[in-house]
């Protein structure tokens, strides 16, 4: 048996949005019962910047500038979790970095019909004029989470311990069955400097390519989408508070309001790897904007047109300028794939967030599913701590899986279905293709005008809150 | 959470039971086969003891005979914790450190088995002594301690790096082989085959837990009296057991032992189950009754007076398999009683 350097109650691997949310959600409960949580992440936190926030605020008055091109759309359900007393992160996100949207407009290959979903469709909500969601900058949300954890780690006795390094190896103590994490900066770190952390429970929040999942021998189903997501921030001709999405046969293109009042927009465009490469690496700024506007406004997006058509009316978004965020790059692309673990736990190791499921970004659900995982797990671990229970107990993890797996699988399948529905394309202009278009249009009209169906969509898209 | 307050029930109970035998000693039940029982007077049934010895390998295995107890555990421990908080059991000297909900509370866990309840209470900060007549069960519980100690032995140099829940589980938690009687005599079954000379009586405890144990003892009344004696005045007795009801017969024996097989056959004898009213009545009249001990020395000091504080049922949720507290006490129930302060 190897010597350990630490024994903790919960070790969270991965300091992404989901891992940090788990840490924030457990911090107070851990302190209340004297339990210890370790948070392992490859990158060190940037040094705390005193005074910087003030200057950010001052600048915000003059000109808003995004932190980076990465944003997440946060559903009301996820917002409630981030805003809960235990997690207490939401209020720390500067207001100009979480932009509400009250309308969602979705259309397909043809410019008509446009499906329209409103905050009003959240009939179960008790807010007046409830938003459908918020577009939140990933960097700001992470920063808010770090701030939250810093306020709770000043107590030496308990709380969240931060460990910088990567998980190199995972094994289990033969007699107690506790997992042992070997953490080092890289594989060449001398053995004496490797941290060996024994934990009652290991939470794998290390993303879609989770190494903990592989080390714990949990299986993974994956399928590439042969698509890449292009992300950038643009200025639009007019501020807006609508999340726009057009489904092209090469993939969906979203225009999401940012900057607090929608003075900027986040472009998330899933398309073929070739086009993505061209858009990010080769296209000039003007060519990029032209391409975005053409893809948004063309009457029939499948027909090649050289000229960008004018937007049908002034409330449609029109990209006018690329915005350089504080942290480069200005444009980025990410390969997309679908992934799911058929089982979320094994031998005191449990999967959360992208380590358990990777979905298509088309409805902006990735982080939200992960935050719902975090909520469920935090609730169960907290209850277990208060009754002195061992948090690595299989029954606890089984209950977590029973709650989360069906919901995640349903969302995964629905997003896959929606993508296929819009990507469904037959040979040009054959009667069959026209019939397919007609069916698609009918489906979209139903989703807009048939209230129960529309509410069902909204309920799914907002996490039922 | 609805909790059945017991006040009215206990006042009613003696009226509903036909003979009110409040201040009469209970007729002794002599069981055959006592020759195999331990050399001193004990409420432990030797046959039951052999059965528990045989289970001991599986105290902590999922799906083993104790898995039903494991599923009851979170709500049993929550009940205990809540009663400790509600009835002000924590010593006021403990400056309520945030990190130890049960800091400074001395608990005697009678019939601790593999440590299913002792461990969680220790993790919450209580100073727990686990007591069980089965040497095998105690060996299992101690082995778990030893494994954990081994695991963190190397990290001990750097104190801060071992979670407080681990340290608490290791330091104040002790296990002893013995019965409640031998414990009171200050003696341990393992250390002495015969009567040890001049044993020191143990310090009274704040809380005595006897979970799923009274249905296995031969003389429940004597057991309760001894439990009361082990408590400090104002201390809490937490007791859980099974009602002698048709529902308990069907659910606790037919279904659990024969249909589902989640409890080994022969674990329970329906005739030994005690109805909640009988239990309350017995607790309220403890101080009136003489002890069951047939000591030549005559009457032992009378048992302390007890009051019953609250009672709740434990019912399984068929969807999740976990138990929760409910007002339905017709199968499993848990109650809290307090040793009345001597000056009251
Ligand atoms: C283009 C794009 C747009 C998206 N838009 C949205 C959106 O609008 N809304 C939405 O909800 N979701 C969106 N998503 C999905 C969302 O980004 C992910 O679901 C989310 O980031 C997953 O968070 P996570 O914490 O599970 O994993 P990650 O963010 O991947 O974090 C994993 C962390 O683990 C660390 N790590 C990895 N391996 C190790 C190791 N061995 N040891 C230690 N640390 C390790 C990494 O450093 C990293 O910090 C989008 C995704 C893409 C690609």
């Amino acid at each position: 048996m190897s010597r350990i350097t630490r024994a903790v109650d919960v070790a969270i691997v991965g300091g992404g949005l989901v891992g940090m949310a788990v840490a924030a959600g457990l911090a107070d409960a851990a302190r209340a019962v004297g339990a210890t949580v370790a948070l392992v992440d490859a990158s060190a936190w940037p040094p705390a910047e005193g005074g910087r926030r003030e200057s950010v605020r001052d600048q915000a008055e003059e000109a808003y500038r995004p932190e980076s091109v990465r944003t997440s759309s946060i559903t009301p359900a996820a917002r409630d979790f981030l805003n809960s007393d235990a997690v207490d992160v939401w209020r720390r996100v500067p207001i100009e970095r979480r932009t509400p949207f009250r309308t969602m407009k979705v259309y397909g290959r043809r410019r008509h019909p446009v499906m329209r979903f409103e905050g009003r469709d959240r009939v179960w909500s008790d807010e007046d004029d409830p938003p459908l969601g918020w577009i939140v900058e990933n960097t700001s949300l992470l920063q808010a989470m770090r701030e939250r954890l810093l306020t709770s780690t000043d107590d030496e006795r308990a709380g969240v311990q931060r460990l910088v390094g990567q998980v190199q190896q995972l094994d289990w103590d033969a007699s107690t069955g506790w997992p042992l994490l070997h953490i080092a900066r890289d594989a060449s770190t001398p053995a004496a400097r490797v941290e060996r952390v024994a934990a009652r429970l290991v939470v794998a929040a290390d993303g879609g390519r989770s190494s903990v999942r592989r080390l714990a021998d949990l299986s993974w189903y994956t399928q590439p989408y042969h698509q890449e997501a292009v992300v950038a921030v643009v200025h639009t001709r007019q501020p807006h508070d609508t999340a726009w999405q057009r489904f092209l046969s090469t993939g969906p293109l979203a225009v999401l309001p940012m900057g607090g009042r929608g003075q900027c927009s986040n472009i998330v465009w899933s398309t073929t790897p070739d086009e993505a490469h061209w858009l990010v690496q080769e296209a000039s700024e003007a060519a990029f904007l032209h391409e975005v506007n053409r893809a948004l406004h063309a009457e029939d997006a499948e027909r090649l047109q050289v000229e960008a058509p004018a937007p049908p009316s002034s409330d449609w978004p029109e990209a006018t300028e690329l915005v350089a965020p504080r942290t480069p790059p200005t444009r980025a692309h990410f390969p997309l794939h679908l992934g799911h673990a058929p089982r979320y736990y094994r031998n005191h190791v449990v999967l959360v967030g992208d380590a358990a499921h990777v979905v298509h970004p088309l409805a902006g659900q990735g982080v939200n599913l992960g935050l719902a995982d975090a909520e469920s797990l935090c609730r169960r671990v907290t209850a277990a701590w208060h009754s002195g229970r061992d948090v690595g107990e299989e029954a606890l993890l089984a209950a977590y899986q029973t709650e989360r797996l069906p919901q995640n699988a349903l969302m995964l399948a629905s997003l896959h279905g929606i993508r296929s529905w819009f990507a469904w394309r037959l040979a040009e202009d054959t009667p069959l293709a026209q019939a397919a278009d007609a069916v698609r249009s009918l489906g979209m009209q139903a989703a807009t005008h048939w209230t129960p169906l529309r509410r069902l969509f909204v309920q799914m898209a907002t996490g039922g809150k | 959470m609805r909790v059945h307050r017991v006040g009215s029930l206990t006042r009613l109970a003696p009226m509903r039971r036909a003979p009110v035998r409040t201040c009469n000693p209970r007729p002794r039940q002599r069981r055959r086969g006592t020759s195999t029982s331990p050399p001193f007077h004990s409420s432990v049934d030797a046959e039951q003891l052999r059965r528990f010895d045989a289970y001991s390998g599986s105290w902590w295995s999922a799906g083993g005979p104790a898995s039903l107890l494991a599923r009851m555990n979170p709500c049993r421990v929550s009940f205990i914790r809540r009663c400790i908080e509600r009835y002000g059991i924590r010593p006021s000297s403990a400056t309520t450190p945030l990190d130890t909900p049960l800091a400074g509370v001395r608990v005697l866990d009678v019939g601790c088995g593999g440590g299913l309840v002792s461990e969680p209470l220790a993790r919450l900060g209580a100073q727990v002594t686990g007591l069980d007549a089965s040497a095998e069960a105690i060996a299992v519980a101690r082995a778990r301690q030893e494994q954990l100690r081994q695991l963190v032995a190397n990290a001990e140099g750097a104190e801060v790096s071992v979670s407080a829940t681990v340290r608490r589980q290791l330091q104040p938690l002790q296990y002893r082989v013995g019965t409640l009687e031998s414990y009171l005599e200050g003696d341990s079954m393992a250390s002495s085959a015969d009567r040890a000379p001049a044993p020191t009586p143990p310090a009274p405890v704040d809380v005595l837990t006897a979970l799923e144990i009274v249905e296995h003892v031969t003389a429940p009344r004597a057991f309760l009296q001894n439990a009361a004696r082990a408590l400090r005045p104002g201390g809490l007795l937490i007791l859980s057991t099974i009602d002698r009801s048709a529902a308990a017969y069907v659910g606790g024996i037919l279904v659990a032992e024969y249909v589902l097989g989640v409890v080994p056959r022969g674990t329970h004898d329906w005739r030994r189950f005690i109805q909640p009213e009988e239990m309350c009545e017995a607790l309220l009249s403890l101080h009136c009754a003489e002890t069951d001990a047939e000591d030549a020395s005559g009457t032992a000091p009378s048992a302390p007076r007890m009051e019953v504080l609250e009672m709740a049922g434990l019912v399984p949720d068929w969807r999740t398999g976990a138990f929760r507290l409910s007002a339905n006490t017709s199968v499993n129930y848990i109650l809290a009683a307090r040793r009345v302060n001597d000056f009251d």
Side-chain angles (χ1 to χ4, degrees):
Chain A
M1 194 193 76
S2 53
R3 295 164 58 90
I4 64 159
T5 55
R6 247 167 236 270
V8 300
D9 290 274
V10 178
I12 303 164
V13 182
L17 290 173
V18 178
M20 291 288 275
V22 175
L26 292 181
D28 285 353
R31 270 150 54 93
V33 297
T36 311
V37 176
L39 176 67
V40 184
D41 195 77
S43 55
W45 292 2
E49 296 156 275
R52 162 134 191 258
R53 294 187 52 79
E54 284 313 307
S55 63
V56 168
R57 258 178 212 295
D58 293 344
Q59 284 171 10
E61 293 303 309
E62 304 150 21
Y64 161 80
R65 209 170 147 205
E67 294 282 355
S68 89
V69 289
R70 290 301 305 274
T71 67
S72 297
S73 98
I74 296 292
T75 61
R79 191 277 314 253
D80 288 354
F81 172 59
L82 295 173
N83 201 24
S84 62
D85 289 343
V87 182
D88 190 26
V89 155
W90 188 250
R91 66 184 174 89
R92 299 170 200 266
V93 180
I95 196 138
E96 71 278 10
R97 314 235 166 239
R98 47 175 158 101
T99 310
F101 59 93
R102 295 195 158 71
T103 313
M104 190 156 70
K105 289 183 180 164
V106 180
Y107 57 115
R109 171 186 165 179
R110 298 192 195 281
R111 211 162 59 188
H112 296 287
V114 176
M115 287 193 276
R116 188 186 161 98
F117 303 97
E118 301 277 353
R120 293 199 280 287
D121 288 319
R122 288 172 59 201
V123 282
W124 49 87
S125 164
D126 47 17
E127 291 169 66
D128 354 305
D129 193 17
L132 281 172
W134 288 262
I135 304 299
V136 180
E137 294 187 39
N138 286 12
T139 314
S140 309
L141 189 51
L142 268 179
Q143 186 54 36
M145 288 171 166
R146 287 172 182 158
E147 226 173 76
R148 160 71 175 88
L149 287 179
L150 283 174
T151 60
S152 65
T153 46
D154 42 19
D155 186 341
E156 282 291 304
R157 283 175 309 163
V160 180
Q161 304 176 352
R162 279 187 290 134
L163 301 176
V164 178
Q166 279 186 323
V167 173
Q168 306 286 342
Q169 204 188 318
L170 171 64
D171 45 38
W172 284 266
D173 179 53
S175 51
T176 56
W178 283 35
L180 302 176
L181 293 167
H182 299 237
I183 298 158
R185 285 199 181 265
D186 51 58
S188 63
T189 307
R193 298 199 43 211
V194 174
E195 279 258 19
R196 279 180 290 277
V197 179
R200 292 183 196 273
L201 174 66
V202 168
V203 179
D206 51 349
R209 274 184 251 282
S210 170
S211 49
V212 173
R213 185 182 61 217
R214 179 173 43 79
L215 293 168
D217 211 12
L218 280 157
S219 58
W220 182 242
Y221 167 80
T222 184
Q223 175 192 324
Y225 275 123
H226 305 295
Q227 272 184 349
E228 295 200 4
V230 174
V231 284
V233 181
V234 297
H235 270 304
T236 50
R237 200 167 293 287
Q238 285 192 330
H240 65 108
D241 68 351
T242 302
W244 288 87
Q245 179 139 270
R246 182 171 207 178
F247 283 89
L248 306 163
S249 66
T250 49
L253 162 59
V255 180
L256 309 166
M258 283 177 82
R261 288 169 290 115
Q263 61 272 51
C264 287
S265 290
N266 192 209
I267 302 287
V268 184
W269 187 354
S270 311
T271 182
T272 59
D274 287 345
E275 191 174 9
H277 180 83
W278 181 80
L279 284 167
V280 173
Q281 314 281 350
E282 289 168 20
S284 68
E285 197 178 314
F288 177 83
L289 293 171
H290 178 271
E291 213 41 40
V292 167
N293 286 328
R294 194 182 66 79
L296 280 174
H297 304 143
E299 185 69 53
D300 182 340
E302 305 307 330
R303 288 187 201 283
L304 272 176
Q305 276 172 288
V306 182
E307 283 305 306
S313 69
S314 63
D315 66 337
W316 284 56
E318 190 183 356
T320 54
E321 193 188 331
L322 258 180
V323 179
R326 287 176 199 282
T327 316
T330 304
R331 284 175 268 173
H333 59 130
F334 305 89
L336 300 179
H337 63 279
L338 171 143
H340 192 243
R343 164 172 195 160
Y344 287 178
Y345 68 93
R346 187 192 180 98
N347 291 338
H348 317 291
V349 175
V350 66
L351 307 177
V352 294
D354 275 22
H357 41 73
V358 175
V359 299
H360 196 283
L362 70 86
Q365 290 297 329
V367 171
N368 296 294
L369 296 180
L371 291 175
D373 295 346
E375 190 277 328
S376 168
L377 192 66
C378 288
R379 174 162 33 86
R380 289 167 198 286
V381 167
T382 302
W385 273 338
H386 283 294
S387 58
R389 213 172 150 191
D390 186 331
V391 292
E393 247 176 59
E394 185 162 322
L396 185 148
L397 304 181
Y400 159 78
Q401 170 174 298
T402 308
E403 179 179 351
R404 291 305 308 153
L405 194 137
Q407 295 194 29
N408 290 336
L410 177 66
M411 182 58 81
L412 200 91
S414 310
L415 295 182
H416 197 68
I418 291 173
R419 196 191 84 88
S420 311
W421 166 264
F422 284 104
W424 176 36
R425 187 163 161 238
L426 298 158
E428 285 291 313
D429 286 337
T430 60
L432 215 56
Q434 283 163 9
D437 263 354
V439 170
R440 188 149 39 205
S441 163
L442 211 66
M444 289 170 68
Q445 305 233 23
T448 317
H449 299 294
W450 189 34
T451 310
L453 184 62
R454 191 177 67 238
R455 286 187 180 158
L456 183 72
F457 269 119
V458 171
Q459 185 164 6
M460 278 194 78
T462 56
K465 283 282 183 90
Chain B
M1 203 176 327
R2 288 178 307 160
V3 169
H4 201 56
R5 288 281 178 163
V6 121
S8 58
L9 176 67
T10 50
R11 250 171 273 122
L12 278 177
M15 283 178 256
R16 276 206 264 130
R17 303 271 135 245
V20 182
R21 22 152 273 251
T22 326
C23 280
N24 294 327
R26 194 177 191 193
R28 274 272 285 154
Q29 245 188 2
R30 261 252 166 246
R31 283 184 64 84
R32 292 210 268 127
T34 40
S35 55
T36 55
S37 61
F40 45 81
H41 171 74
S42 166
S43 59
V44 172
D45 181 339
E47 186 193 318
Q48 295 262 5
L49 185 55
R50 270 200 307 280
R51 190 170 276 130
F52 282 114
D53 277 348
Y55 301 164
S56 58
S58 47
W59 272 109
W60 287 93
S61 62
S67 67
L68 204 67
L69 294 179
R71 276 189 266 147
M72 281 184 177
N73 229 17
C75 82
R76 294 193 305 190
V77 176
S78 304
F79 182 87
I80 298 169
R81 181 182 170 180
R82 202 186 54 207
C83 288
I84 289 175
E85 285 167 353
R86 182 174 290 168
Y87 300 109
I89 296 304
R90 277 183 63 155
S92 49
S93 60
T95 52
T96 52
L98 256 184
D99 63 352
T100 42
L102 302 187
V105 178
R106 291 158 301 166
V107 179
L108 178 64
D109 182 16
V110 180
C112 64
L116 254 55
V117 174
S118 301
E119 280 191 16
L121 291 177
R123 280 194 286 266
L124 289 170
Q127 292 168 27
V128 185
T129 302
L131 187 67
D132 203 295
S134 159
E136 270 82 354
I138 291 295
V140 169
R142 282 191 181 142
R144 281 177 59 87
Q145 294 286 93
E146 193 46 41
Q147 289 165 357
L148 194 59
R149 193 168 286 124
Q150 287 290 321
L151 175 77
V152 300
N154 304 315
E156 231 27 314
E159 271 268 339
V160 281
S161 65
V162 176
S163 172
T165 69
V166 175
R167 287 206 298 271
R168 290 202 296 259
Q169 189 178 339
L170 287 178
Q171 285 157 7
L173 173 55
Q174 292 181 351
Y175 290 108
R176 291 172 60 172
V177 180
T179 61
L180 182 54
E181 293 80 0
S182 71
Y183 171 86
L184 283 172
E185 283 167 21
D187 167 51
S188 165
M189 222 164 152
S191 63
S192 64
D194 226 317
R195 248 172 249 268
T200 45
V205 296
D206 299 311
V207 177
L208 186 144
T209 56
L211 305 183
E212 265 57 58
I213 206 74
V214 262
E215 66 271 27
H216 302 291
V217 303
T218 49
R221 199 173 179 79
F223 177 86
L224 293 179
Q225 288 175 330
N226 285 330
R229 287 192 186 106
L231 286 170
R232 68 156 163 90
L236 278 189
L237 167 66
I238 311 272
L239 207 115
S240 71
T241 185
I242 309 179
D243 185 9
R244 196 176 66 256
S245 66
Y249 178 67
V250 173
I253 297 187
L254 287 185
V255 175
E257 294 187 16
Y258 291 88
V259 179
L260 297 178
V262 289
V263 173
R265 290 186 187 179
T267 298
H268 290 122
D269 177 349
W270 189 65
R271 292 163 302 177
R272 289 202 184 169
F273 290 173
I274 300 169
Q275 298 183 340
E277 296 88 341
E278 293 169 325
M279 186 68 82
C280 291
E281 185 205 328
L283 283 167
L284 293 173
S285 64
L286 274 188
H287 61 289
C288 309
E290 286 166 28
T291 52
D292 286 354
E294 291 172 337
D295 279 344
S297 56
T299 47
S302 69
R305 183 193 287 269
M306 298 292 288
E307 59 181 350
V308 179
L309 301 168
E310 61 182 79
M311 181 187 298
L314 294 174
V315 298
D317 181 334
W318 294 114
R319 217 164 29 87
T320 60
F323 280 68
R324 61 185 164 78
L325 294 178
S326 107
N328 175 3
T329 58
S330 70
V331 183
N332 291 90
Y333 62 95
I334 186 163
L335 65 82
R338 173 159 58 190
R339 175 170 168 177
V340 176
N341 279 317
D342 296 335
F343 44 81
D344 283 350

